[in-house]
Amino acid sequence: MFSPSGKQLVSGSFDKTVRLWDLRTGQALFTFDEHKEPVWSVAFSPDGTLIASAGYDGTARVWNVADGQSISIFREHNDKVNDLAFSPDGQQIASVGYDNVLRFWDPKTGHELSSLKPADDDDLTQVTFSPDGSQVVVGAWSCLLYTSPS
Protein backbone atom coordinates (compact mmCIF):
# COMPACT_ATOMS: atom_id res chain seq x y z
CA MET A 1 0.00 0.00 0.00
CA PHE A 2 1.23 3.50 -0.87
CA SER A 3 1.68 6.13 1.82
CA PRO A 4 -0.58 9.21 1.63
CA SER A 5 2.42 11.21 0.35
CA GLY A 6 3.20 8.63 -2.33
CA LYS A 7 6.86 8.54 -1.22
CA GLN A 8 6.75 5.26 0.68
CA LEU A 9 5.23 1.84 0.34
CA VAL A 10 4.41 -0.72 3.03
CA SER A 11 4.28 -4.44 2.28
CA GLY A 12 3.26 -7.49 4.27
CA SER A 13 4.62 -10.91 3.47
CA PHE A 14 4.31 -14.64 3.95
CA ASP A 15 7.80 -14.46 5.49
CA LYS A 16 6.07 -12.88 8.55
CA THR A 17 7.52 -9.40 7.97
CA VAL A 18 6.22 -5.92 7.30
CA ARG A 19 8.55 -3.68 5.31
CA LEU A 20 8.51 0.08 4.83
CA TRP A 21 10.08 1.04 1.49
CA ASP A 22 11.45 4.35 0.22
CA LEU A 23 10.10 4.61 -3.33
CA ARG A 24 12.84 7.02 -4.46
CA THR A 25 15.72 4.69 -3.56
CA GLY A 26 13.97 1.32 -3.55
CA GLN A 27 15.53 0.60 -0.14
CA ALA A 28 13.74 -0.89 2.85
CA LEU A 29 13.68 1.73 5.62
CA PHE A 30 12.42 -0.64 8.31
CA THR A 31 11.64 -4.33 8.58
CA PHE A 32 9.14 -5.22 11.29
CA ASP A 33 9.37 -8.88 12.23
CA GLU A 34 7.17 -9.32 15.29
CA HIS A 35 4.39 -11.32 13.60
CA LYS A 36 4.64 -15.09 14.17
CA GLU A 37 2.68 -16.03 11.02
CA PRO A 38 2.24 -14.49 7.53
CA VAL A 39 1.12 -10.86 7.35
CA TRP A 40 -2.08 -10.62 5.37
CA SER A 41 -2.94 -6.91 5.42
CA VAL A 42 -1.18 -3.56 5.89
CA ALA A 43 -2.41 0.04 6.01
CA PHE A 44 -1.10 3.56 6.47
CA SER A 45 -2.85 6.00 8.78
CA PRO A 46 -4.43 8.91 6.88
CA ASP A 47 -1.63 11.26 7.97
CA GLY A 48 1.07 8.73 7.03
CA THR A 49 2.65 8.59 10.50
CA LEU A 50 1.52 5.07 11.43
CA ILE A 51 1.45 1.65 9.79
CA ALA A 52 -0.93 -1.12 10.84
CA SER A 53 -0.51 -4.80 10.02
CA ALA A 54 -2.77 -7.83 10.38
CA GLY A 55 -1.41 -11.32 10.71
CA TYR A 56 -2.42 -14.92 10.64
CA ASP A 57 -0.98 -15.10 14.18
CA GLY A 58 -4.24 -13.51 15.39
CA THR A 59 -2.70 -10.12 16.11
CA ALA A 60 -2.84 -6.68 14.57
CA ARG A 61 0.00 -4.26 15.22
CA VAL A 62 0.73 -0.57 14.83
CA TRP A 63 4.18 0.87 14.05
CA ASN A 64 5.61 4.39 14.03
CA VAL A 65 6.81 5.35 10.53
CA ALA A 66 9.38 7.86 11.82
CA ASP A 67 11.43 5.46 13.96
CA GLY A 68 10.07 1.96 13.28
CA GLN A 69 8.99 1.46 16.89
CA SER A 70 6.02 -0.70 17.85
CA ILE A 71 3.15 1.45 19.18
CA SER A 72 0.46 -1.10 20.05
CA ILE A 73 -0.59 -4.72 19.65
CA PHE A 74 -4.21 -5.81 19.34
CA ARG A 75 -4.76 -9.41 20.49
CA GLU A 76 -8.55 -9.68 20.86
CA HIS A 77 -9.17 -11.68 17.67
CA ASN A 78 -9.41 -15.40 18.37
CA ASP A 79 -8.17 -16.50 14.95
CA LYS A 80 -6.37 -15.21 11.86
CA VAL A 81 -6.79 -11.47 11.16
CA ASN A 82 -7.60 -10.99 7.47
CA ASP A 83 -7.86 -7.24 7.00
CA LEU A 84 -7.78 -3.89 8.75
CA ALA A 85 -8.39 -0.25 7.89
CA PHE A 86 -7.84 3.11 9.54
CA SER A 87 -10.84 5.39 9.94
CA PRO A 88 -10.58 8.58 7.84
CA ASP A 89 -9.67 10.61 10.95
CA GLY A 90 -7.05 8.02 12.02
CA GLN A 91 -8.62 7.67 15.49
CA GLN A 92 -9.64 4.03 15.14
CA ILE A 93 -8.89 0.87 13.24
CA ALA A 94 -11.45 -1.69 12.12
CA SER A 95 -10.26 -5.27 11.80
CA VAL A 96 -11.86 -8.54 10.73
CA GLY A 97 -10.82 -12.16 10.70
CA TYR A 98 -11.71 -15.81 10.87
CA ASP A 99 -13.27 -15.33 14.31
CA ASN A 100 -16.14 -13.65 12.40
CA VAL A 101 -16.04 -10.48 14.50
CA LEU A 102 -15.72 -6.88 13.32
CA ARG A 103 -13.61 -5.08 15.92
CA PHE A 104 -12.90 -1.38 16.37
CA TRP A 105 -9.83 -0.37 18.36
CA ASP A 106 -7.60 2.54 19.27
CA PRO A 107 -4.37 2.46 17.19
CA LYS A 108 -2.30 4.19 19.86
CA THR A 109 -3.30 2.05 22.85
CA GLY A 110 -4.47 -1.20 21.26
CA HIS A 111 -7.64 -1.12 23.39
CA GLU A 112 -10.85 -2.42 21.87
CA LEU A 113 -13.51 0.28 21.43
CA SER A 114 -16.35 -2.00 20.32
CA SER A 115 -17.10 -5.18 18.40
CA LEU A 116 -19.90 -6.68 16.36
CA LYS A 117 -20.56 -10.27 15.38
CA PRO A 118 -22.73 -10.62 12.28
CA ALA A 119 -25.74 -12.95 12.50
CA ASP A 120 -24.45 -15.29 9.81
CA ASP A 121 -21.23 -17.17 10.47
CA ASP A 122 -19.19 -16.20 7.39
CA ASP A 123 -15.45 -15.68 7.65
CA LEU A 124 -14.93 -11.93 7.45
CA THR A 125 -12.34 -11.14 4.81
CA GLN A 126 -12.25 -7.39 4.12
CA VAL A 127 -13.10 -4.11 5.81
CA THR A 128 -13.13 -0.46 4.76
CA PHE A 129 -14.57 2.80 6.07
CA SER A 130 -16.74 5.17 4.07
CA PRO A 131 -14.95 8.45 3.23
CA ASP A 132 -16.74 10.29 6.07
CA GLY A 133 -16.12 7.44 8.55
CA SER A 134 -19.79 6.96 9.37
CA GLN A 135 -20.12 3.50 7.84
CA VAL A 136 -18.03 0.38 7.45
CA VAL A 137 -18.33 -2.22 4.72
CA VAL A 138 -17.29 -5.74 5.59
CA GLY A 139 -16.62 -8.40 2.99
CA ALA A 140 -17.49 -12.02 3.63
CA TRP A 141 -19.32 -14.52 1.49
CA SER A 142 -21.84 -11.69 1.48
CA CYS A 143 -21.31 -7.92 1.75
CA LEU A 144 -22.32 -6.35 5.04
CA LEU A 145 -22.76 -2.64 5.85
CA TYR A 146 -22.52 -1.24 9.38
CA THR A 147 -22.65 2.17 10.98
CA SER A 148 -19.31 3.08 12.54
CA PRO A 149 -19.25 3.71 16.31
CA SER A 150 -18.85 7.38 17.18
Side-chain angles (χ1 to χ4, degrees):
M1 169 175 272
F2 287 97
S3 67
S5 70
K7 296 178 181 179
Q8 297 170 322
L9 180 85
V10 64
S11 62
S13 176
F14 275 92
D15 72 2
K16 307 172 193 170
T17 63
V18 175
R19 287 189 173 84
L20 177 64
W21 302 90
D22 182 320
L23 289 175
R24 289 171 290 186
T25 66
Q27 299 297 312
L29 300 171
F30 295 110
T31 299
F32 313 106
D33 59 0
E34 293 182 28
H35 282 284
K36 306 295 183 225
E37 296 291 333
V39 176
W40 201 247
S41 179
V42 292
F44 271 100
S45 61
D47 65 4
T49 62
L50 303 175
I51 292 170
S53 60
Y56 268 23
D57 59 1
T59 68
R61 298 171 182 267
V62 177
W63 318 88
N64 186 322
V65 170
D67 61 13
Q69 294 299 305
S70 177
I71 303 252
S72 64
I73 302 170
F74 185 74
R75 302 177 198 270
E76 276 66 22
H77 282 285
N78 298 322
D79 206 334
K80 298 172 182 172
V81 184
N82 289 324
D83 197 20
L84 51 73
F86 277 92
S87 61
D89 65 4
Q91 298 302 304
Q92 56 184 315
I93 293 176
S95 58
V96 296
Y98 283 172
D99 62 356
N100 305 319
V101 179
L102 166 62
R103 298 183 187 275
F104 296 91
W105 49 285
D106 184 315
K108 294 189 174 148
T109 66
H111 290 110
E112 186 172 292
L113 303 172
S114 65
S115 64
L116 177 66
K117 183 165 179 62
D120 51 352
D121 221 12
D122 285 345
D123 291 336
L124 303 181
T125 58
Q126 296 172 316
V127 63
T128 191
F129 282 87
S130 62
D132 68 0
S134 67
Q135 295 181 312
V136 177
V137 175
V138 176
W141 292 109
S142 56
C143 184
L144 309 168
L145 179 65
Y146 298 103
T147 300
S148 176
S150 330

